[in-house]
């Protein structure tokens, strides 16, 4: 489990993204950082997860999104 | 960083936590002490006026990290310990209930305290909202009171008013400004906020203040207002802003003016940094000093302070961000909303139920405020920093050199 910051990617690692829409404040910072993984609902801006198993090329973007989420609505299992 | 063996962080809330995590993430292996005056593990404050007052969350959900997390990162927690002084010469912090602490480098993250109203002191039915205890006490009041008076119509006051109305409590909202939130969001949006609250049954008493509190025993039963009105109430909630917690730094020779004065690297003095609500730093993008009492800023600035402490030069130049939930409205803001800004609609209007207001200084967009318009609001973010030469925020800090160059997915600094 990543606890803070950016960690180097290890071989064979599989990241799983978990979101908590009830915590989400709709800032959209995740979408700005990882548009291939996150989107927002049209009406209230709440997070939508496009894929829970993003490709390795998205890992840094997703970790950044997790770190800056103001409502801590993103969790990573890796 | 061979000369740094001990880092002390005073203040165990969002900014302090983010700082200690960033120290480890950047590879610092020396000792870290995280000192907090409250006895709880670091917890999140925005839900206090939202989910906690609404009664939808229990206490455990507020914890920012589980206890094992601190052990895993080898962080020594010192909770329930109030710092009482800083000796810059000898590099020590004095604590209320322990031996002084030595440090090689220090991060000040003591936050802010709810401002008190002297004329209401010692009454037993006056409540504030800053800490976890405050929130649960207030939550109990909202389940039993028939009517409350809320003094101060900033973010805390308006969110408390909204939560109280949802619980069926009668609310009188009192503020010296023209409209609720007008001091923070300007006249245009302020009048829309006023309508939102009066539509939801809040009695607004604007452009006035409390002259006298009528007591029955230890309880306040009525407030006399400057405009001649009287307001009967079962409880009074005071939400008249917060002051940075800097009293413990008096006499330290640090520059204390509306918080701890820092440069653009969050540096207050040699080896001393500040982050979060307590930090008054120079924002090079906006070319002015800012002190921001919002959640995202605390996290971001903690990272910046930690990096600078470790000798990784990091200009702190974020796009500030905040949100507020009131009734069925989600407010979100990026950038700054100066009192003298020109405000106009970038999307929708006050009549349309969803809008984005733009805040301009000399025709330059410096901030946006979205009203039930999350996605629209986000589309204006890149414009806010488009002229900044210091394009360094959290994203670039984390991603390293080169990240900022990827326009299209423009690096955004949360705030």
């Amino acid at each position: 489990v990543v606890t803070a910051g950016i960690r180097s990617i290890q071989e064979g690692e599989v990241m799983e993204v978990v979101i908590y829409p009830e915590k989400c404040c709709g800032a959209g910072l995740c979408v700005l950082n990882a548009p291939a993984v996150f989107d927002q609902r049209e009406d209230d801006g709440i997070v939508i997860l496009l894929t829970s198993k993003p490709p390795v090329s998205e890992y840094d973007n997703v970790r950044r999104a997790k770190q800056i989420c103001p409502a801590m609505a993103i969790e990573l299992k890796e | 960083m061979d000369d740094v063996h001990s880092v002390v962080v005073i203040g165990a809330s969002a900014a302090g936590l983010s700082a200690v995590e960033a120290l480890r993430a950047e590879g610092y292996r020396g000792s870290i002490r995280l000192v907090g005056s409250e006895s709880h593990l670091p917890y999140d404050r925005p839900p206090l006026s939202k989910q906690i007052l609404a009664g939808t969350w229990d206490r455990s959900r507020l914890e920012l990290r589980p206890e094992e997390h601190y052990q895993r990162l080898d962080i020594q927690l010192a909770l329930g310990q109030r710092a009482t002084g800083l000796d810059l010469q000898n590099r020590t912090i004095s604590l209320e209930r322990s031996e002084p602490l030595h440090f090689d480098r220090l991060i000040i993250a003591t936050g802010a305290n709810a401002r008190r109203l002297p004329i209401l002191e010692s009454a037993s039915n006056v409540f504030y909202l800053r800490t976890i205890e405050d929130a649960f006490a207030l939550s109990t009041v909202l389940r039993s009171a028939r009517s409350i008076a809320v003094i101060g119509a900033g973010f805390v006051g308006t969110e408390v008013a909204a939560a109280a109305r949802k619980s069926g409590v009668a609310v009188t909202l009192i503020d010296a400004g023209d409209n609720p939130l007008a001091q923070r969001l300007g006249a245009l949006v302020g009048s829309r906020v006023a309508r939102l609250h009066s539509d939801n049954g809040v009695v607004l008493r604007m452009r006035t203040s409390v002259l006298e509190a009528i007591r029955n025993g230890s309880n306040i039963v009525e407030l006399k207002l400057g405009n001649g009105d009287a307001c009967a109430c079962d409880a009074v909630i005071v939400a008249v802003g917060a002051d940075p917690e800097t009293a413990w730094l008096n006499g330290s020779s640090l520059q204390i003016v509306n918080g701890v004065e820092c440069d653009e690297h969050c540096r207050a003095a040699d080896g001393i940094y500040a982050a979060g609500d307590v930090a008054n730093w120079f924002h090079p993008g906006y070319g002015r000093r800012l002190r921001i009492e919002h959640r995202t800023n605390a996290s971001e600035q903690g990272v910046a302070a930690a990096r600078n402490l470790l000798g990784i030069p990091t200009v702190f130049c974020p796009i500030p961000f905040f949100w507020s939930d009131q009734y069925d409205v989600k407010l979100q803001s990026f950038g700054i909303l100066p009192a003298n800004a020109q405000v106009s609609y970038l999307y929708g209007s006050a009549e349309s139920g969803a809008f984005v207001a733009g805040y301009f200084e000399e025709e330059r967009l410096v901030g946006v405020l979205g009203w039930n318009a999350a996605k629209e609001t986000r589309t204006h973010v890149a414009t806010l920093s488009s002229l900044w030469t210091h394009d360094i925020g959290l994203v670039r800090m984390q991603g390293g050199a080169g990240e900022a160059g990827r326009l299209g997915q423009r690096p955004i600094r949360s705030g």
Side-chain angles (χ1 to χ4, degrees), chain B residues 247-310:
Chain B
W248 66 286
L249 297 167
N250 289 342
S252 68
S253 87
L254 288 184
Q255 196 68 20
I256 308 293
V257 181
N258 180 29
V260 177
E261 270 201 17
C262 311
D263 63 14
E264 69 271 30
H265 293 97
C266 312
R267 180 184 166 281
D270 190 27
I272 316 281
Y273 299 83
D277 293 9
V278 79
N280 170 356
W281 93 103
F282 183 78
H283 189 300
Y286 286 116
R288 72 197 74 179
R289 294 196 154 275
L290 296 177
R291 187 177 72 77
I292 294 181
E293 293 178 3
H294 292 302
R295 173 66 178 79
T296 314
N297 187 67
S299 287
E300 266 200 298
Q301 200 164 15
V303 174
R307 287 176 54 97
N308 284 308
L309 181 153
L310 294 174

Side-chain angles (χ1 to χ4, degrees), chain B residues 10 35-39 78-86 92-101 245 247-248:
Chain B
I10 303 290
V35 181
S37 61
E38 294 181 69
S39 56
L79 301 175
Q81 295 276 5
R82 186 175 293 280
T84 53
L86 165 63
T92 54
I93 301 280
S94 45
L95 298 172
E96 198 170 56
R97 296 194 286 118
S98 293
E99 292 299 297
L101 272 182
E245 171 59 73
W248 66 286

Side-chain angles (χ1 to χ4, degrees), chain A residues 11-31:
Chain A
E11 213 168 313
E13 198 171 43
V14 178
M15 174 190 281
E16 191 185 339
V17 185
V18 180
I19 58 167
Y20 297 92
E22 74 277 13
K23 287 186 171 187
C24 175
C25 67
L29 299 174
C30 53
V31 187

Side-chain angles (χ1 to χ4, degrees), chain B residues 102-169:
Chain B
H102 177 268
F103 63 86
D104 293 328
R105 303 271 161 95
L106 171 69
I107 294 176
I108 297 167
T110 38
N113 294 319
R115 213 171 278 152
R116 305 258 151 183
L117 280 188
I119 66 164
L120 304 179
E121 283 304 284
S122 81
S124 54
N125 62 341
V126 171
F127 299 87
Y128 295 83
L129 183 49
R130 181 74 193 176
T131 65
I132 196 166
E133 287 83 5
D134 293 342
F136 281 97
L138 189 49
S139 164
T140 305
V141 169
L142 296 189
R143 282 198 298 274
S144 59
R146 286 159 304 163
S147 63
I148 60 168
V150 180
I151 305 175
F155 289 111
V156 171
T158 51
E159 287 188 8
V160 168
R165 288 304 301 140
K166 280 199 163 174
S167 304
V169 180

Side-chain angles (χ1 to χ4, degrees), chain B residues 7-8 40 62 80 116 123 147 158 226 236 262 276 284 294 372 383 410:
Chain B
V7 176
V8 170
H40 311 284
L62 293 174
R116 305 258 151 183
S147 63
T158 51
V236 180
C262 311
H294 292 302
N372 279 344
T383 315
R410 187 182 174 81

Side-chain angles (χ1 to χ4, degrees), chain B residues 183-196:
Chain B
Q183 276 182 313
R184 306 301 301 274
L185 308 181
L188 187 72
V189 179
S191 60
R192 184 67 190 87
V193 176
R195 189 142 57 90
L196 173 69

